[in-house]
Amino acid sequence: MYNYARMKFYCDTERCIECFGCVIACDEAHELPLGIARRKVVTLNDGIEGKEFSVSVACMHCTDAPCEQVCPVDCFYIREDGIVLHDKDKCIGCGYCLYACPFGAPQFPKDGAFGIRGVMDKCTMCAGGPEPTFSIEEREKYGQNRIAEGKVPMCAATCSTNALLVGDAESVSKIYRERVAARGKGVQTPYGWKEAY
Amino acid sequence: MKKIYFLLFSSLTIFAGEVPLASPNLAPTHPGSQLYKEEMIEAIPFWNKFGELFVYVQTHYTKPLFLAILIGVPLAFAFHYFVWGPKKFSHKGRKFLIFPKWQRIVHWIAALGFIFLVPTGFLIIYAKYFGGGEPIRFARTIHDIGAILFAIAFIPMMLMWFKDMLPKSWDLKWLGMLGGYLSKEKKEIPAHKFNAGQKMWYWTIFFGGALMLLTGFLLYIQTFDKSLLNVKIFQIDILRIAILTHLALALIIVALFFTHLYMSLFAIKGAVDSMISGCKSEDELKHLHSIFYKDIINKKIDKKLEEGCK
């Protein structure tokens, strides 16, 4: 269907050890303020043997991103490589993207005396934003642009167990397929696979 | 004195705002918020319940429906104005005090709220065509201020007219003839202090306004403590239902708000005076609120009501 790479995240729940490395790496790399969590690690079924698993979740950069569809200002744009980005200068902070998002990715800073929502902030897959690449404005509004530097996004680069995979969807699924085969458990349907891909 | 200063100071520090403490994995939000916790992952497979519905409504209906209201309702009234024309009543002669001063103040606080709420609401929906950014963010703030004004006036306004707004048998007759607005002839219309149209507006605000305030508040807070509601539903789904309700009700309320404006400003000449001075002319009462007029004559309170307008 596509003859170019489409960037995807995938978190291998069999490998994630809930170390929060990705979260801290993301927060620090982009110097995020408190109250903004672009990436989160969540543990489900805590303490139930055989059922407990942890997953690292952020913006999944959907192909038909619902946030992009509902935005009243059309501040979202999807790059050719599938990375979903948005323009903070256009954003009005209405919160529609959060209501549309299946993954709870959009984050809103609450500032001012009455806790009025500011403009939305979300994972950029370390690809910056609409400002000129490597500009100070881009750095301040969207964080590092590691993709333009040719580096892997910070979270996946930090992941100690290589549970968090990022890259061209084909390559990600190839790695995952190999892992499943090596485990010899047969093909499992990964959590959230149907919704994300 | 020292004690008072201490109390003042300590209360200031309490209300200075929550200072979020860093937590390793979760956004430091309201402790009761499920928006960033396990529930967020559990809600993913159920996205197509309300999430998909919201995306569908927002992409297909919101903008065209509000545009239809914005253009359709005034067009229909313009048509009415040119075909049947406005109703004119003599404003000379006896006048009766219908709305005491405090009722007028309450009404105008709510009205000011609406003047803030409706245009800014449209600005948010069509933000795209206004470029978004700081001006629309400011409009959002105005929207919140309008909501506070409306909230202040809401309960007194609902209480002060509650008894007069209860449905009566003649309301059906009023609805059957559409209040006589589709004819040019001047005749007695069955209505007490408020006609069936006004009652429709009142009950829409009674239930709709309360729901608008509630859903608006939920959307404003976003990270409210869900455990207070004691319902088994994902927090994100509450927000989705809230925004859908907010949009659907806004559609009805805006349509009726335009109707209210048209009736008071254009359809009945000088009707808005009764909300400014509080007085209605005898001619207008006799025709448009015939049952109320007969009532005050029979009860012999017409003299007293007339006093209020002198």
Side-chain angles (χ1 to χ4, degrees):
Chain A
M1 194 171 160
Y2 302 104
N3 50 8
Y4 45 85
R6 289 194 65 81
M7 299 289 280
K8 289 289 173 196
F9 275 123
Y10 184 71
C11 181
D12 189 342
T13 50
E14 293 272 316
R15 278 182 176 234
C16 181
I17 57 167
E18 202 193 357
C19 72
F20 304 113
C22 49
V23 177
I24 304 298
C26 179
D27 287 357
E28 289 306 308
H30 306 302
E31 290 168 32
L32 301 178
L34 281 171
I36 298 290
R38 286 186 182 179
R39 180 163 282 286
K40 288 151 278 191
V41 173
V42 179
T43 303
L44 288 185
N45 307 324
D46 204 354
I48 303 170
E49 222 173 291
K51 279 190 172 178
E52 180 188 310
F53 67 91
S54 300
V55 63
S56 171
V57 66
C59 174
M60 297 298 261
H61 299 273
C62 310
T63 307
D64 56 344
C67 52
E68 189 260 347
Q69 295 176 39
V70 298
C71 181
V73 253
D74 271 357
C75 77
F76 288 89
Y77 63 100
I78 302 176
R79 287 176 24 153
E80 273 202 359
D81 55 5
I83 300 178
V84 180
L85 296 176
H86 74 295
D87 186 343
K88 280 192 178 181
D89 292 334
K90 274 193 201 163
C91 175
I92 57 170
C94 63
Y96 282 22
C97 47
L98 173 66
Y99 313 142
C101 181
F103 308 102
Q107 306 282 307
F108 295 91
K110 290 203 170 177
D111 39 35
F114 300 101
I116 290 172
R117 276 199 306 277
V119 294
M120 191 269 276
D121 187 282
K122 76 168 188 69
C123 161
T124 61
M125 209 186 256
C126 291
E131 310 286 352
T133 305
F134 302 137
S135 64
I136 293 168
E137 294 82 47
E138 184 191 52
R139 180 79 179 81
E140 280 178 351
K141 285 179 195 158
Y142 309 96
Q144 289 186 28
N145 193 340
R146 291 172 60 92
I147 296 280
E149 288 178 73
K151 294 175 183 165
V152 173
M154 200 64 214
C155 48
T158 310
C159 187
S160 54
T161 58
N162 276 354
L164 191 60
L165 301 172
V166 63
D168 165 33
E170 298 263 311
S171 318
V172 169
S173 60
K174 187 169 160 270
I175 294 170
Y176 186 70
R177 216 179 302 124
E178 280 166 6
R179 281 185 189 175
V180 170
R183 279 173 205 148
K185 281 195 207 164
V187 180
Q188 299 152 296
T189 309
Y191 196 86
W193 185 271
K194 221 171 66 205
E195 281 73 27
Y197 298 97
Chain B
M1 205 59 196
K2 243 182 185 174
K3 243 183 187 170
I4 295 172
Y5 277 129
F6 176 74
L7 270 174
L8 260 175
F9 183 73
S10 55
S11 64
L12 268 179
T13 49
I14 289 169
F15 294 109
E18 277 173 55
V19 180
L21 295 172
S23 146
N25 60 332
L26 302 167
T29 54
H30 196 283
S33 166
Q34 290 293 319
L35 219 49
Y36 303 110
K37 294 186 184 168
E38 291 86 346
E39 205 197 81
M40 195 193 76
I41 301 291
E42 285 163 3
I44 295 172
F46 298 98
W47 176 80
N48 50 7
K49 220 169 149 190
F50 294 108
E52 195 173 20
L53 179 67
F54 170 63
V55 173
Y56 186 73
V57 167
Q58 175 67 15
T59 49
H60 288 75
Y61 291 113
T62 309
K63 280 174 191 169
L65 280 182
F66 276 95
L67 189 69
I69 293 286
L70 189 63
I71 293 172
V73 175
L75 263 184
F77 288 137
F79 180 74
H80 174 264
Y81 193 86
F82 288 114
V83 174
W84 288 285
K87 290 204 180 295
K88 289 181 188 128
F89 295 100
S90 163
H91 284 265
K92 285 173 190 131
R94 298 174 79 189
K95 281 191 174 177
F96 303 102
L97 183 72
I98 307 295
F99 300 113
K101 197 170 190 178
W102 66 276
Q103 289 196 356
R104 278 177 272 152
I105 291 171
V106 168
H107 170 267
W108 285 114
I109 293 172
L112 191 65
F114 261 81
I115 289 164
F116 283 4
L117 282 167
V118 176
T120 52
F122 274 104
L123 277 181
I124 294 166
I125 290 167
Y126 298 108
K128 189 165 114 183
Y129 307 105
F130 299 96
E134 199 53 53
I136 311 291
R137 257 174 264 153
F138 180 69
R140 266 190 55 219
T141 312
I142 299 290
H143 199 72
D144 298 338
I145 293 169
I148 292 166
L149 284 173
F150 176 67
I152 290 169
F154 179 69
I155 291 171
M157 191 166 71
M158 290 301 106
L159 288 178
M160 72 193 188
W161 289 330
F162 185 81
K163 226 182 93 194
D164 294 317
M165 290 293 188
L166 291 171
K168 293 276 156 54
S169 56
W170 54 76
D171 288 334
L172 279 176
K173 236 192 277 169
W174 189 96
L175 286 171
M177 60 201 283
L178 276 173
Y181 288 106
L182 295 187
S183 79
K184 279 184 179 175
E185 78 179 297
K186 227 168 151 182
K187 58 182 175 189
E188 288 191 3
I189 310 281
H192 201 258
K193 189 168 175 179
F194 296 109
N195 63 39
Q198 288 171 303
K199 285 178 185 176
M200 264 159 57
W201 177 223
Y202 174 89
W203 289 108
T204 308
I205 290 296
F206 189 92
F207 295 109
L211 264 175
M212 282 303 259
L213 285 173
L214 174 73
T215 52
F217 184 69
L218 293 180
L219 295 171
Y220 179 82
I221 301 291
Q222 271 190 354
T223 51
F224 52 88
D225 190 348
K226 196 188 63 157
S227 59
L228 295 171
L229 292 172
N230 201 18
V231 279
K232 257 204 142 153
I233 185 165
F234 299 122
Q235 180 146 12
I236 188 73
D237 277 344
I238 298 177
L239 292 175
R240 283 164 187 160
I241 293 166
I243 185 70
L244 285 168
T245 319
H246 204 78
L247 286 171
L249 280 172
L251 207 63
I252 300 166
I253 289 174
V254 165
L256 285 177
F257 175 62
F258 285 166
T259 313
H260 189 58
L261 281 184
Y262 173 69
M263 288 297 161
S264 58
L265 295 176
F266 303 106
I268 307 153
K269 286 282 173 215
V272 74
D273 282 347
S274 65
M275 237 342 137
I276 295 167
S277 63
C279 302
K280 260 193 193 307
S281 69
E282 189 175 25
D283 194 31
E284 194 179 329
L285 265 193
K286 203 191 272 178
H287 288 99
L288 290 184
H289 299 273
S290 58
I291 298 168
F292 181 62
Y293 180 73
K294 280 170 201 153
D295 213 30
I296 58 170
I297 299 290
N298 289 342
K299 281 185 184 162
K300 299 205 166 64
I301 48 171
D302 53 324
K303 286 260 158 51
K304 209 180 113 206
L305 290 177
E306 209 182 343
E307 271 312 295
C309 280
K310 272 177 183 163

